[in-house]
Amino acid sequence: MKPLFKGKHFITLEEWTKPEIDKLLEVSVALKHKFLTNEPTPYLTNKTAFLMFFEQSTRTRNSMEAGIAHLGGHGTFLDTSMMQISHGESAKDTATILSSYGHGIACRNCFWEVGNKYLRELAANSTVPIMNLQCDLYHPMQGLADLMTIKEVYGEKKHIKVSIIWAYATSHKKPISVPLTQILLFPRYAMDVTLAYPEGYDLPVWAIEKAKQNALENGGSFKITHNMEEAFKDADVVIPKNWGSWVNNQSSAVVDDLLESYKGWKCTEEMIALASPDVKYMHALPADRGNEVEDSVIDGPHSIVYQEAENRLHTAKAVMAMTMGDK
Ligand code: CP
């Protein structure tokens, strides 16, 4: 397997062309097949990736750690609270040193108005690819796995109606990076994307403008509604998920009056009944069960959340193999 994108940073899919993303998807599919048939995939033998986490993770950490092991390399998990970062060491020094020890640096830093800037500073000072494991703006690993999953279900069908719908949750004030990534990416694949949210949960204006432009240039469409039922109606894919009111309110408080006024924004069986009969329910996980979604939906016949989560492994491996490999 040729590492076609050796050294290329993976910070946002906006910096990857469609043919490049298509190649990542093709490699993800091949790696999934090899994993399921127990074929060896020694594309990163003796390679090391440093996996820096400022926040908690289940899927991202383990898809990266397991993924690089499957590829013959080693992933070093770094809890940043145990690094000299916690004593103020700069991103520049961290990136310079780690890139002299290994072949890739991956990082999750979701702090609002900090995370993406931190990744950019790592990238400016690294001699190896920087992989974004979720920042305040983007979650490209999730976006790629979501796209792979939708393609597994719908193939190359155009104009599928995909609704990205805000949902009530109290678990934590979640980043906007998942819906932001999805509204930018899906219109590039000729999907008809609806973004639905109650007043106060806006995404940045620049991202909305870019989503519209991506739709225009690629034969998709993009619209916004503040009516939840409208978003569910006739949808082929629904992605009801919470995100925080970061754009309008930078407080890290999880529960406030605004949030509590939108308890009704939940994915229920009644909402699913409005959608296409074969609608697929997706969620990046972790889900706030009982708040964002009823158990009977997430555990029901429309749900493809475990397929979506599994694809995080295969897409993570594709990104690492194509940016870090040298065979
Ligand atoms: N979807 C996702 O990124 O999951 P984790 O937070 O568990 O990594």
Side-chain angles (χ1 to χ4, degrees):
M1 184 181 297
K2 280 204 174 73
L4 292 177
F5 312 123
K6 187 169 174 59
K8 185 173 170 72
H9 299 307
F10 186 76
I11 294 179
T12 165
L13 288 164
E14 285 289 290
E15 292 166 356
W16 287 63
T17 65
K18 264 183 78 181
E20 287 173 337
I21 297 171
D22 289 343
K23 189 69 195 177
L24 289 178
L25 289 173
E26 184 191 313
V27 172
S28 303
V29 170
L31 287 170
K32 182 170 186 172
H33 178 75
K34 285 177 196 276
F35 179 69
L36 298 176
T37 55
N38 276 321
E39 278 183 62
T41 51
Y43 307 123
L44 292 180
T45 311
N46 299 325
K47 302 288 184 200
T48 299
F50 296 101
L51 313 175
M52 297 169 55
F53 281 84
F54 285 81
E55 286 99 6
Q56 301 86 342
S57 168
T58 296
R59 281 142 291 272
T60 307
R61 173 183 174 177
N62 291 293
S63 59
M64 292 293 287
E65 272 197 66
I68 193 163
H70 299 170
L71 297 169
H74 176 74
T76 300
F77 171 71
L78 297 168
D79 172 345
T80 55
S81 70
M82 298 299 288
M83 295 175 72
Q84 295 295 5
I85 291 167
S86 61
H87 291 153
E89 185 158 35
S90 68
K92 173 179 182 282
D93 291 353
T94 304
T96 305
I97 305 304
L98 292 183
S99 64
S100 75
Y101 293 168
H103 309 89
I105 302 173
C107 180
R108 167 172 286 190
N109 183 337
C110 298
F111 292 109
W112 181 249
E113 292 188 329
V114 170
N116 189 260
K117 290 191 181 91
Y118 189 85
L119 280 152
R120 297 288 179 193
E121 211 176 329
L122 290 179
N125 293 283
S126 172
T127 56
V128 298
I130 299 297
M131 288 163 277
N132 184 355
L133 301 182
Q134 189 173 22
C135 67
D136 51 334
L137 301 178
Y138 305 111
H139 196 351
M141 292 284 186
Q142 185 66 52
L144 191 62
D146 291 345
L147 184 59
M148 178 179 181
T149 309
I150 292 172
K151 279 180 171 284
E152 284 177 336
V153 174
Y154 287 105
E156 297 307 313
K157 190 174 171 190
K158 296 204 184 317
H159 296 295
I160 59 169
K161 179 176 175 182
V162 179
S163 293
I164 297 156
I165 307 168
W166 184 90
Y168 173 79
T170 56
S171 53
H172 65 294
K173 188 166 175 177
K174 301 188 187 195
I176 63 171
S177 47
V178 171
L180 195 154
T181 297
Q182 292 166 339
I183 65 163
L184 294 176
L185 181 62
F186 296 165
R188 295 174 74 188
Y189 283 83
M191 298 179 200
D192 291 331
V193 175
T194 298
L195 176 68
Y197 61 91
E199 305 282 354
Y201 287 89
D202 307 78
L203 298 184
V205 172
W206 64 262
I208 299 300
E209 291 309 313
K210 192 63 173 54
K212 286 178 188 164
Q213 187 189 330
N214 287 353
L216 201 64
E217 288 172 358
N218 296 282
S221 69
F222 176 75
K223 71 173 182 186
I224 293 178
T225 177
H226 299 302
N227 181 312
M228 179 175 61
E229 284 82 2
E230 184 190 331
F232 275 97
K233 190 153 178 13
D234 300 327
D236 299 304
V237 175
V238 292
I239 314 179
K241 184 195 176 305
N242 177 261
W243 63 85
S245 56
W246 292 106
V247 170
N248 301 315
N249 172 11
Q250 286 75 51
S251 159
S252 56
V254 179
V255 178
D256 57 21
D257 290 345
L258 183 72
L259 179 75
E260 289 304 290
S261 66
Y262 296 128
K263 267 189 172 165
W265 283 68
K266 179 194 282 196
C267 184
T268 61
E269 294 214 45
E270 200 185 339
M271 289 299 115
I272 290 289
L274 296 174
S276 149
D278 293 325
V279 64
K280 302 301 175 200
Y281 166 85
M282 296 177 70
H283 192 298
L285 303 179
D288 190 341
R289 285 169 175 259
N291 284 328
E292 288 178 295
V293 58
E294 287 178 345
D295 281 346
S296 57
V297 172
I298 193 168
D299 296 326
H302 297 284
S303 176
I304 54 171
V305 295
Y306 298 131
Q307 180 181 345
E308 180 184 4
E310 184 201 317
N311 285 336
R312 290 293 310 274
L313 172 70
H314 312 302
T315 47
K317 286 163 73 171
V319 172
M320 288 190 282
M322 296 303 275
T323 61
M324 291 172 53
D326 60 5
K327 294 198 171 176

